[in-house]
Amino acid sequence: MLSALDSLDRKILRELIQDARISHLALSERVGLSATACARRVLQMEKTGIIKGYAANIDVNALGFPLTVIVHITLDRQNEDALARFETEIHKCPDVISCHLMSGADDYQVQVLACGMEDYERIHKQHLSRLPGVARLQSSFAMRTVVKRSISPAALIMIRPAGTQRRGK
């Protein structure tokens, strides 16, 4: 699927990352295609799942959530059942904005938004510490967001054009 992307598809993706609400006409002008051809390529990337959807970039500070907390979670067991139970329950926690299964010392890295320390204390007591199998929680507080992207610009450059292979393969 990824190997089917050519340089025009990568240009389209780069433009959509910058402005997901861009019109097909404006997008086509930026990438050098007709609006119809551009729309067809975008639709194809949506159908294949490369483009999963479109989202607004929300300023969480403006909404009253100045505190971003990165929580490192270690479970008491790492078997399939323990991981599945934890993952089922973390989905139900309304304060969690992302959760990643990790390699290394921690089992999961969870990102939470809070209105302040008292709000995070509530989240910790009512949700995080009650998750099944939690042996340890370690919280780090982000002082400021420096970079936030859905994909790195370098990743789009590294996608192979259609019909090419990486060296050594």
Side-chain angles (χ1 to χ4, degrees), residues 28-163:
S28 68
E29 290 170 359
R30 289 187 187 174
V31 300
L33 281 176
S34 71
T36 304
C38 202
R40 190 171 44 248
R41 284 174 178 261
V42 169
L43 181 61
Q44 182 61 32
M45 286 188 278
E46 290 171 349
K47 284 182 179 179
T48 60
I50 291 169
I51 298 174
K52 295 253 182 221
Y54 301 89
N57 185 5
I58 307 295
D59 182 346
V60 296
N61 287 319
L63 291 177
F65 296 95
L67 194 58
T68 300
V69 187
I70 309 299
V71 185
H72 302 273
I73 299 176
T74 304
L75 301 182
D76 55 10
R77 289 183 306 272
Q78 288 77 29
N79 62 43
E80 255 184 82
D81 290 338
L83 297 175
R85 279 193 308 276
F86 176 85
E87 290 176 13
T88 297
E89 293 304 312
I90 197 79
H91 273 281
K92 297 175 186 176
C93 185
D95 301 291
V96 170
I97 61 170
S98 70
C99 177
H100 302 275
L101 177 63
M102 304 297 290
S103 64
D106 302 312
D107 296 311
Y108 291 93
Q109 181 178 315
V110 175
Q111 188 174 351
V112 173
L113 293 178
C115 297
M117 264 320 216
E118 287 181 9
D119 189 36
Y120 179 65
E121 184 179 2
R122 174 195 59 80
I123 295 165
H124 188 282
K125 285 180 180 177
Q126 292 179 2
H127 298 288
L128 300 177
S129 64
R130 294 180 180 182
L131 290 165
V134 171
R136 184 175 61 94
L137 294 166
Q138 180 180 347
S139 304
S140 299
F141 300 90
M143 296 189 308
R144 147 172 78 92
T145 299
V146 178
V147 175
K148 183 177 181 181
R149 299 179 177 128
S150 61
I151 186 171
S152 71
L156 291 175
I157 293 168
M158 294 174 57
I159 297 171
R160 298 181 309 260

